[in-house]
Amino acid sequence: MQVSRISSVQVSPDGKRVAFAAALPVMTEEESQYLTQIYVGKTDGSGYYQFTHGVKSSSSPQWSPDGAWLAFISERSGKSNIWLARADGGEACQLTDVKTGVGVFKWSPDGSRIAFVMQDPPDEKEEKAARGKDDARIVDGDSKMSHLWIVPARRAEGKMPEMRRLTGGDFTLNVQYAGGFDWSPDGRKIVFTHTSGTSADSWTLA
């Protein structure tokens, strides 16, 4: 438990700074777990400091193309959502508010948008079952698809940015392979891989 786990190492566009996630042990009389936070420092190994704080984990930092912002995933709202903060520090703002949690995300080349993968939200029947603590699951049955969404990388005062869904249909994004998608250099298109379903054998149909 005393060994910290380092992940998601990201070098800034100018090559002078590095951001990474560190999972550190939290051991008290009531809990024993890892809490992940983001750290930033210089690439020469000096000046490291904790970038995110709180009782919920933050991870997966990504620099904006101009190096002025850091986007990251945090559970501070209850689910894994995208948050944004100035790279030099300051209060973070929430960019997404989703029920199922955000998976992989990537900045657009011009830094104006962020594309991300999200699992389809539960329907009314599933939400009712969850409220009733009916947590039985059928393996390879009624699994949710994951699709591609996009959100502006800026937030107006007191207002959540409007998310837009890019893909739909009876397929799911294949995020285990290099994130499953990427932007074209001009930011006009996104290429992605997908499978026809979420069953254990669907990977052969990518």
Side-chain angles (χ1 to χ4, degrees):
M1 288 292 294
Q2 294 300 324
V3 179
S4 62
R5 302 173 182 177
I6 306 300
S7 63
S8 304
V9 179
Q10 297 286 317
V11 178
S12 63
D14 63 6
K16 296 180 179 179
R17 292 174 293 175
V18 61
F20 61 91
L24 303 174
V26 176
M27 303 180 70
T28 67
E29 293 181 355
E30 298 181 352
E31 60 180 337
S32 178
Q33 64 176 348
Y34 278 97
L35 180 65
T36 302
Q37 298 293 353
I38 296 169
Y39 290 75
V40 173
K42 297 179 181 179
T43 50
D44 63 4
S46 65
Y48 282 95
Y49 63 93
Q50 187 172 335
F51 186 79
T52 60
H53 299 80
V55 296
K56 297 292 186 179
S57 289
S58 297
S59 61
S60 305
Q62 284 192 30
W63 299 90
S64 62
D66 62 3
W69 299 83
L70 269 175
F72 57 93
I73 298 292
S74 181
E75 300 172 359
R76 60 185 69 182
S77 63
K79 293 289 185 179
S80 297
N81 277 287
I82 300 175
W83 290 70
L84 185 68
R86 290 191 175 277
D88 293 333
E91 189 68 24
C93 65
Q94 186 176 351
L95 288 185
T96 64
D97 186 13
V98 303
K99 294 181 178 180
T100 57
V102 171
V104 181
F105 72 96
K106 293 181 180 180
W107 286 88
S108 64
D110 64 359
S112 66
R113 296 161 293 167
I114 295 177
F116 63 94
V117 177
M118 180 180 73
Q119 191 178 65
D120 290 343
D123 56 29
E124 184 178 346
K125 180 180 178 181
E126 291 166 334
E127 287 186 340
K128 182 178 179 180
R131 290 193 297 268
K133 306 301 182 181
D134 180 5
D135 57 358
R137 296 291 181 269
I138 301 174
V139 177
D140 277 356
D142 298 327
S143 296
K144 290 295 184 180
M145 304 293 187
S146 293
H147 284 284
L148 195 60
W149 291 70
I150 195 169
V151 66
R154 295 292 184 272
R155 175 176 171 173
E157 187 67 29
K159 185 178 181 181
M160 292 290 293
E162 184 177 351
M163 304 186 308
R164 182 165 57 93
R165 183 170 179 163
L166 296 184
T167 64
D170 194 21
F171 64 86
T172 186
L173 256 72
N174 214 348
V175 295
Q176 62 266 42
Y177 298 110
F181 72 94
D182 204 358
W183 292 85
S184 63
D186 61 6
R188 298 177 61 185
K189 296 181 179 180
I190 295 178
V191 61
F192 62 91
T193 62
H194 66 86
T195 60
S196 60
T198 59
S199 70
D201 295 328
S202 294
W203 67 272
T204 60
L205 305 176

